[in-house]
Amino acid sequence: MANQDYSRNEFFIGGEWVKPSSSRRFELINASTEESLGSVPEAAQADVDRAVAAARHAFDHSGWATSSVAERTAVMGRFAQALEKRAGDISRLVSMQNGMPASLSALFEGSLPVGLLGYYSELVSSLQVDEKRPSQMGKETIVSRRPIGVVAAIVPWNYPVILAMTKIAPALAAGCTIVIKPSPGTVLDSYLIAEAAIEAKVPAGVINWVAADREVGAYLVSHPGVDKVAFTGSTAAGRSIAKVCGELLRPVTLELGGKSAALILDDADLDLVLANLPMVSLINNGQTCFSCTRILAPASRYGQIVDAIASTVAGLTIGDAVDPATHIGPMASAAHRERVEGFIAKGKAEARLVAGGGRPQAQKRGWFVQPTVFSEVSNDSLIAREEIFGPVLAVIPYKDEAEAIRIANDSIYGLGGTVWSADTERALRVANKVQTGTIGINGYALAVGSPFGGVKASGLGRELGPETLSSYQQLRSTYVSG
């Protein structure tokens, strides 16, 4: 039922359901209907202390950190199976909370977290824990990889499960323990993941989950019992976390914002661009850090491309996030819708509105915004500079290939991007000149086995791939002289 009460009253700490230390609670609202989904407890500093203590004890005394790879992968395998059983319920809860279309949440929040556990389980099984290297001054050096310790993971609301698992899976594989702080807007899915951990017999204290606001989240980041921080969220928050971790000399991974560009070259197959536009530029209602929301179009085809994009966007189905037919769901909250609408209002003053620009009339309730397209946009305009984090596209004209590259690079961000051309080699040459951590050729498909992350104001470090596993490990050299 749409109005079912999903309220919870405890945190998951030390392998158990634990009563909160205060009576404060987060109210959760269905983004598509504005109906209450229930409420969950809000953590205070005392709850974070308890969660970190549980993770610290599990790391220092439970044997998890010194367990064999076979023991850890067995736990991860059981955890993956338990999650898979709950995949449908998890993805539905995410869609209700943040408006993610059901077709997308089934993949990103239901299936991919299970796949990530399998990937890191296989990866860690294939790596050497201790490697012997020749020594010029002694007999040999033993290079050891050891778990880094207790991890504080701060997870945003837009992809709460997969972004939690990009931290949980490599942490488990490495032998770390973890305290996760989900966003206040998407907490219900955390309880199903905790239930899966209980069913899988994940050792007590290895995974801990407490929902908290920014202030208590900052307390977790600076907690003396934490050894590493892994954060996904805004660039502003990332800068604050980086400052704290820098002062503490604490390792940190930051996956931050973006304002990525789609470079449509003059020979591009426009039908291919349009077919991929919903996933490349409007994925999760535009609430995605790597979305290509700056569309760079050649002046020679500018009118044709603008008209085609506007027509495609206008034809997308807007509706309840749990409806499989929905392309565009609501914004995650009323406050976020107001923010997006503020940018649209500013866009109307600095560019030409060619599609959307308001609230869909068919949706009487829910935090919906029409997918919106602006043309005649300068790359210096606000809607081309700021990360709007909504279904708002800015189509920017360019004269030649060199100018397209210059415009793409004229941003404080560098997270994603795409290049579209009938000539793959040409597209690759252009892509190599774009300053970004990831880029797609004639599409954009994340790969679990490849590193994901940004340059410039889009972050530090990487998630996914074997490179991430090393960030949850410490290296130690043992010099053997005889």
Side-chain angles (χ1 to χ4, degrees):
M1 296 176 59
N3 60 349
Q4 179 179 343
D5 187 350
Y6 292 93
S7 294
R8 300 282 192 140
N9 299 308
E10 297 164 311
F11 297 123
F12 183 63
I13 298 174
E16 299 177 336
W17 297 113
V18 175
K19 294 291 184 183
S21 65
S22 80
S23 60
R24 295 181 305 192
R25 297 181 71 84
F26 290 123
E27 296 293 329
L28 298 170
I29 306 296
N30 187 317
S32 296
T33 66
E34 299 183 51
E35 295 174 333
S36 173
L37 293 170
S39 65
V40 297
E42 176 184 348
Q45 290 186 1
D47 302 302
V48 169
D49 288 338
R50 188 166 183 176
V52 173
R56 184 84 263 161
H57 184 272
F59 185 79
D60 292 339
H61 303 294
S62 74
W64 174 254
T66 56
S67 61
S68 68
V69 168
E71 290 172 319
R72 295 199 299 275
T73 56
V75 171
M76 294 171 71
R78 296 195 302 268
F79 191 24
Q81 290 176 350
L83 275 180
E84 190 169 25
K85 287 162 54 175
R86 294 165 172 81
D89 290 336
I90 289 172
S91 59
R92 181 177 175 82
L93 278 176
V94 171
S95 291
M96 287 193 292
Q97 291 173 101
N98 72 2
M100 183 185 298
S103 58
L104 187 67
S105 63
L107 172 62
F108 277 85
E109 304 294 272
S111 299
L112 276 179
V114 176
L116 263 182
L117 283 166
Y119 169 77
Y120 279 105
S121 180
E122 290 182 12
L123 177 65
V124 75
S125 299
S126 67
L127 299 177
Q128 284 182 296
V129 175
D130 296 317
E131 176 190 351
K132 292 183 178 179
R133 298 182 185 179
S135 174
Q136 286 72 34
M137 300 181 67
K139 182 179 178 182
E140 64 184 11
T141 299
I142 302 172
V143 179
S144 305
R145 293 170 176 82
R146 298 290 184 263
I148 202 166
V150 175
V151 177
I154 314 293
V155 181
W157 49 260
N158 60 330
Y159 292 89
V161 181
I162 187 61
L163 290 177
M165 199 57 64
T166 58
K167 299 155 183 61
I168 295 170
L172 294 183
C176 298
T177 59
I178 190 165
V179 177
I180 303 135
K181 188 205 83 67
S183 168
T186 46
V187 183
L188 295 176
D189 42 282
S190 306
Y191 287 91
L192 296 187
I193 296 172
E195 289 173 1
I198 293 171
E199 180 182 323
K201 294 181 171 59
V202 175
V206 171
I207 298 176
N208 307 274
W209 220 299
V210 289
D213 63 11
R214 290 184 179 182
E215 182 180 343
V216 175
Y219 178 72
L220 172 61
V221 167
S222 63
H223 200 286
V226 167
D227 299 302
K228 172 188 166 66
V229 175
F231 171 79
T232 302
S234 72
T235 295
R239 290 185 194 278
S240 298
I241 290 171
K243 188 179 297 184
V244 171
C245 290
E247 180 68 26
L248 295 170
L249 298 180
R250 178 168 293 170
V252 60
T253 302
L254 302 171
E255 198 272 281
L256 308 178
K259 190 69 178 179
S260 303
L263 285 76
I264 303 176
L265 302 186
D266 53 17
D267 66 343
D269 179 344
L270 188 53
D271 288 338
L272 181 63
V273 175
L274 298 176
N276 283 274
L277 185 72
M279 284 295 284
V280 169
S281 299
L282 294 169
I283 183 172
N284 196 15
N285 318 323
Q287 299 173 141
T288 302
C289 54
F290 59 76
S291 291
C292 291
T293 54
R294 288 187 297 153
I295 313 294
L296 277 52
S300 60
R301 300 180 64 185
Y302 188 74
Q304 175 198 15
I305 290 172
V306 167
D307 290 345
I309 290 175
S311 176
T312 298
V313 164
L316 296 175
T317 301
I318 304 170
D320 193 310
V322 300
D323 186 341
T326 292
H327 297 129
I328 302 292
M331 300 292 92
S333 68
H336 188 58
R337 177 173 66 176
E338 288 180 9
R339 180 180 184 274
V340 172
E341 288 178 331
F343 278 109
I344 291 174
K346 292 170 183 174
K348 290 176 181 178
E350 59 186 6
R352 184 168 73 92
L353 179 68
V354 294
R359 298 180 182 181
Q361 294 183 353
Q363 274 69 38
K364 303 304 180 185
R365 302 186 70 186
W367 300 309
F368 292 91
V369 174
Q370 290 176 319
T372 299
V373 181
F374 287 101
S375 71
E376 300 174 21
V377 181
S378 165
N379 197 54
D380 294 326
S381 65
L382 188 72
I383 57 171
R385 309 302 291 181
E386 296 289 333
E387 183 181 34
I388 298 173
F389 223 62
V392 182
L393 306 182
V395 189
I396 303 170
Y398 68 84
K399 299 176 195 173
D400 54 29
E401 195 175 283
E403 186 180 32
I405 295 166
R406 181 190 63 75
I407 293 172
N409 290 335
D410 183 15
S411 171
I412 64 168
Y413 299 108
L415 183 58
T418 51
V419 180
W420 303 83
S421 172
D423 183 341
T424 301
E425 291 303 314
R426 180 189 180 194
L428 284 168
R429 287 195 303 272
V430 171
N432 285 335
K433 297 176 182 178
V434 178
Q435 298 163 1
T436 185
T438 67
I439 195 162
I441 305 299
N442 292 326
Y444 187 94
L446 286 170
V448 169
S450 302
F452 172 82
V455 299
K456 300 191 282 188
S458 289
L460 297 171
R462 294 294 182 267
E463 291 191 324
L464 303 179
E467 291 79 8
T468 292
L469 181 61
S470 358
S471 74
Y472 288 83
Q473 296 173 320
Q474 294 193 80
L475 295 176
R476 185 182 69 178
S477 293
T478 302
Y479 306 119
V480 180
S481 298

